[in-house]
Amino acid sequence: MLMASIGPLSAWSKMRAIMKYRLPANWRSMAVFAFDLLAVVLAWVGGFLLRMDFQVSADYLQLMGQGLLLLLPVQGVIFRASGLYRGIWAFASLPDLLRILRAVGFSVLAVALGAVLFYPSPLVPRSMLLLYPLLLAGIMAGGRVAYRIFKEHRDFGALRAVGKPVLVLGVGREAANLVQELTRSREWYVVGILDDDPRKRHREVCGVKVLGALEEIGEWASVLRTRHAIIAMPGANRAEHRRVANLCIRAGIRVFTLPPIGQLIHGHDTVSQMRRLNVEDLLGREPVSIDTPEVRQMLKGRVAMVTGAGGSIGAELCRQIARFQPAQIVAFEQSEYALYALTENFADVFPEVDLVAVAGDIKDRRRVSEIMERYAPAVVFHAAAYKHVPLMEERNAWQAIRNNVLGSWIVARAASAVRVERFVLVSTDKAVNPTNVMGASKRLAEMICQYMQQQSPATRFEMVRFGNVLGSTGSVIPKFQAQIERGGPVTVTHPEITRYFMAIDEAAQLVLEAASMGAGGEVFVLDMGEPVRVLDLARDMIRLSGYGDDEISIVFSGLRPGEKLYEEVLADCELTRPTHHPKLRVARSALPPDFDLNALLHWIQSGRTLSDDQVRRDLRRWVPEYQPYNPPRPVLVSESIKLEA
């Protein structure tokens, strides 16, 4: 009937059709069961032949036959009970081998028990207790492996050397899984593996040769004519991962990577978990671990309020707080759209969290006091601020002072009035020896919190300083990405300018950690790692986007008003002391003895609108370390360079 349904095909086509004809599952299981019973016969007879040097006497021939009559039904029961027929031969793997070994182990016990109970004459040779299980396991496992090889060659053999050539970097279990899965892919063709371990050199992983060291990726990519690589080193630390990523980028290779070992999803194929390399991989910062019990005690079942909740830092703070099962999160935000986007995100990701979306301006003292009194938060994270340095330096300096200083005073005073337990100011490294209005305004906000700590001991006022956050609104990385997407040029202000960078989730987690450990009045400084030259970052992002050295240029536009060449984390007069967290230190930052809050508030609330120059002049009175810096305006025609290694 099957052949009739195939129609007038060639003999080979008919054979392939028969091979693809799928028997019912019970028939396939019975066929496997029959094969295993045949393996019993072959192993039993083969064991005797080997033991007797292929010269079996009549007595032993009779023993072989009688033994098989008893052994076959016993083995059939053992095989069924051992679950040998749950697996599929086409996917035979280590669990199937373990089941076979377990069944063979029981088989040896059955043979030994039978020899004792029935005491045949002649006796079963003791060497059969070794020969029989070895032969049985070899035949059963070998049959399954042979079928899998046949099946994969039939289904995927034609895919070898099909797709884009790619190098796999690293030799390990995940790399082996990846290579094995890529042999079935129509998109990729693995041409070689690179690893720094000299003991693995010139050996093979799943039939693919380990060609050389990771530093040789440029040479091998040229020889093998590939522009793609996959970093299969999920267990490597961030520094090693960063080194390998930079080797690929410098060689002009388009890179994919696997997530860290702790983020690999078991049960999913490795290929589906690949992702493109991103900027965070190039910066290579180690993942943050926070003291969960202390943070959980601070947040679980309690009300937390976040100002500026729609911004990059504020929204991430809300998401991190949601992990600790708060009773409520009060999201205070001036931007209607940002507040809407946050509520939509929480509806999808944290539907169980009670997020209270509150529209309001931190300079509106009635609105701020009303919200504080209504929801009585236990902890307030004050992240609302104007933060863009050049934008706040010209034409908006007075607004930066009113928002960042007056707004902080209003929120801090309202928190103190309702006896909030903890108030955390999200500050910036630009508050250290500030050269711009934004940095000076954040230093004033810190002074207000230090003053409030002296006046309101019931509330712990803490400040946390950190540098640039990857991907935050208005930061350099989204700007570079947009310029690259337009085809360039990429604008860098100065060839030697450096900045500290950290991931947004890392910054938010460390803010929570600092909040949980503060006793009141501390200025916490986050470990920002090593400063990154912005020019190098721009080059890496261009290459990361797949563009060659001649395709997108870099233009130097000159330092902008108020912009520093180098950022600092601590002022010169400040020292730090360590905390129990390796990425958090406490600055010994004291409130100036002549700080006059009433005079400061009178200056801000005078009813006048001060010019930028007046703001910069008066700021020297309130922030002694403030030294305004206004570089020359950039020329219209700027120097353009090509990428260099």
Side-chain angles (χ1 to χ4, degrees):
M1 183 179 293
L2 173 63
M3 294 302 298
S5 65
I6 295 175
L9 301 175
S10 65
W12 173 244
S13 300
K14 293 177 182 178
M15 284 292 293
R16 289 183 60 85
I18 292 172
M19 290 167 64
K20 292 185 177 180
Y21 180 69
R22 302 177 74 103
L23 292 169
N26 59 331
W27 282 101
R28 292 198 301 274
S29 178
M30 289 179 65
V32 177
F33 182 59
F35 171 82
D36 289 343
L37 292 181
L38 177 61
V40 170
V41 175
L42 294 175
W44 182 254
V45 173
F48 272 95
L49 290 175
L50 291 174
R51 172 63 182 81
M52 304 300 172
D53 198 19
F54 294 90
Q55 295 180 3
V56 184
S57 65
D59 291 341
Y60 277 106
L61 283 174
Q62 184 179 0
L63 177 62
M64 286 169 51
Q66 292 173 348
L68 277 176
L69 291 177
L70 294 173
L71 191 58
L72 284 172
V74 173
Q75 289 283 205
V77 173
I78 291 174
F79 291 161
R80 286 289 181 182
S82 299
L84 291 182
Y85 310 108
R86 298 174 191 162
I88 300 174
W89 275 33
F91 306 106
S93 58
L94 184 60
D96 299 282
L97 177 60
L98 294 177
R99 282 193 285 266
I100 289 172
L101 294 178
R102 184 167 59 244
V104 170
F106 285 120
S107 301
V108 175
L109 293 177
V111 171
L113 184 61
V116 172
L117 290 178
F118 296 100
Y119 202 73
S121 179
L123 293 174
V124 176
R126 285 176 296 179
S127 58
M128 284 295 292
L129 297 178
L130 177 63
L131 292 172
Y132 173 66
L134 288 177
L135 291 172
L136 181 59
I139 296 170
M140 293 174 67
R144 286 161 169 78
V145 171
Y147 181 78
R148 175 170 179 173
I149 293 173
F150 161 75
K151 180 78 172 174
E152 291 196 354
H153 179 76
R154 191 188 71 183
D155 293 345
F156 306 114
L159 296 181
R160 296 183 184 271
V162 172
K164 293 174 285 190
V166 63
L167 284 164
V168 172
L169 310 183
V171 175
R173 180 178 300 176
E174 291 75 20
N177 291 341
L178 178 65
V179 172
Q180 190 172 24
E181 291 168 15
L182 289 177
T183 59
R184 306 171 188 167
S185 170
R186 293 184 179 275
E187 184 179 0
W188 301 105
Y189 166 46
V190 182
V191 292
I193 301 173
L194 300 179
D195 192 88
D196 284 337
D197 189 345
R199 296 171 298 178
K200 298 172 182 175
R201 207 71 48 80
H202 308 305
R203 302 182 73 177
E204 291 188 357
V205 176
C206 300
V208 181
K209 193 172 184 179
V210 181
L211 302 172
L214 295 168
E215 286 81 0
E216 301 170 4
I217 184 170
E219 302 168 22
W220 284 110
S222 177
V223 169
L224 299 171
R225 299 185 178 183
T226 177
R227 308 311 301 166
H228 297 87
I230 303 171
I231 302 176
M233 304 165 59
N237 59 40
R238 289 294 180 92
E240 177 64 12
H241 202 272
R242 176 184 181 182
R243 182 183 74 87
V244 177
N246 280 310
L247 285 172
C248 296
I249 295 299
R250 299 292 187 269
I253 305 294
R254 294 190 180 187
V255 194
F256 295 82
T257 185
L258 296 179
I261 193 73
Q263 297 177 20
L264 280 173
I265 304 173
H266 297 291
H268 288 64
D269 62 271
T270 312
V271 175
S272 67
Q273 300 182 67
M274 284 168 39
R275 61 170 175 79
R276 285 188 176 275
L277 204 69
N278 55 37
V279 179
E280 287 88 343
D281 295 308
L282 297 178
L283 295 178
R285 292 181 62 87
E286 292 293 334
V288 172
S289 61
I290 64 175
D291 193 342
T292 304
E294 290 187 7
V295 178
R296 188 175 301 279
Q297 183 180 3
M298 177 180 71
L299 297 173
K300 185 175 181 180
R302 316 186 83 187
V303 178
M305 179 174 174
V306 180
T307 68
S312 305
I313 295 295
E316 185 61 29
L317 275 171
C318 290
R319 286 189 284 268
Q320 294 292 340
I321 292 169
R323 296 169 46 216
F324 295 95
Q325 301 173 315
Q328 212 170 42
I329 299 177
V330 180
F332 194 93
E333 172 59 51
Q334 185 178 24
S335 167
E336 178 192 22
Y337 175 75
L339 197 60
Y340 165 76
L342 181 67
T343 57
E344 289 295 295
N345 177 252
F346 262 66
D348 291 338
V349 182
F350 301 106
E352 73 285 357
V353 175
D354 183 8
L355 180 75
V356 180
V358 177
D361 186 342
I362 57 173
K363 300 189 297 296
D364 184 345
R365 73 182 69 221
R366 288 187 177 180
R367 179 62 167 164
V368 172
S369 296
E370 171 203 346
I371 298 304
M372 289 276 191
E373 292 168 2
R374 179 184 301 177
Y375 296 101
V379 56
V380 173
F381 295 92
H382 179 42
Y386 287 151
K387 65 175 186 177
H388 196 274
V389 171
L391 195 61
M392 294 299 108
E393 197 68 20
E394 294 186 323
R395 293 179 292 277
N396 300 297
W398 186 238
Q399 294 306 312
I401 295 297
R402 285 184 52 79
N403 190 78
N404 295 354
V405 182
L406 179 61
S408 295
W409 158 247
I410 289 172
V411 177
R413 189 178 67 167
S416 176
V418 298
R419 303 179 72 84
V420 168
E421 290 182 19
R422 297 176 187 268
F423 181 95
V424 184
L425 171 69
V426 176
S427 190
T428 172
D429 57 359
K430 294 172 179 63
V432 183
N433 294 327
T435 61
N436 50 67
V437 172
M438 194 283 285
S441 69
K442 294 299 284 185
R443 177 60 190 136
L444 279 173
E446 291 180 357
M447 292 180 185
I448 287 173
C449 289
Q450 291 174 316
Y451 175 86
M452 291 296 297
Q453 185 61 57
Q454 296 176 359
Q455 304 300 316
S456 308
T459 300
R460 299 180 186 180
F461 287 87
E462 298 147 13
M463 297 130 275
V464 184
R465 290 177 184 165
F466 52 85
N468 298 276
V469 173
L470 292 171
S472 63
T473 307
S475 68
V476 68
I477 290 175
K479 176 183 176 182
F480 284 171
Q481 287 173 335
Q483 291 175 333
I484 292 169
E485 288 172 3
R486 292 197 301 266
V490 173
T491 306
V492 177
T493 57
H494 192 281
E496 298 302 323
I497 192 169
T498 63
R499 288 293 181 264
Y500 292 96
F501 290 98
M502 75 173 3
I504 192 167
D505 59 335
E506 178 184 4
Q509 289 179 60
L510 288 174
V511 169
L512 295 184
E513 179 73 16
S516 69
M517 71 170 67
E522 301 98 335
V523 176
F524 287 94
V525 180
L526 304 192
D527 175 14
M528 297 297 298
E530 296 297 322
V532 176
R533 200 162 69 129
V534 177
L535 175 59
D536 292 337
L537 181 65
R539 287 169 169 162
D540 288 343
M541 288 186 64
I542 291 171
R543 288 168 173 152
L544 199 60
S545 301
Y547 290 98
D549 291 0
D550 299 326
E551 295 180 83
I552 293 183
S553 62
I554 296 176
V555 172
F556 296 123
S557 59
L559 290 175
R560 298 169 297 180
E563 190 171 45
K564 283 183 179 182
L565 197 59
Y566 309 102
E567 296 289 6
E568 302 166 87
V569 179
L570 287 174
D572 295 337
C573 62
E574 293 175 335
L575 301 174
T576 64
R577 56 181 172 84
T579 68
H580 68 261
H581 196 285
K583 291 197 174 184
L584 283 171
R585 298 184 67 86
V586 176
R588 301 183 189 276
S589 176
L591 181 69
D594 58 347
F595 180 72
D596 188 343
L597 179 62
N598 291 327
L600 174 64
L601 293 175
H602 177 74
W603 174 60
I604 297 175
Q605 300 178 95
S606 61
R608 299 176 299 147
T609 299
L610 301 184
S611 68
D612 297 338
D613 289 336
Q614 289 174 318
V615 170
R616 282 190 280 269
R617 178 199 64 199
D618 292 348
L619 273 176
R620 294 196 188 100
R621 173 187 174 189
W622 308 110
V623 185
E625 64 269 31
Y626 168 62
Q627 293 294 328
Y629 172 66
N630 285 296
R633 294 182 181 275
V635 294
L636 294 177
V637 179
S638 301
E639 180 185 0
S640 177
I641 67 167
K642 292 181 180 179
L643 298 181
E644 298 174 359

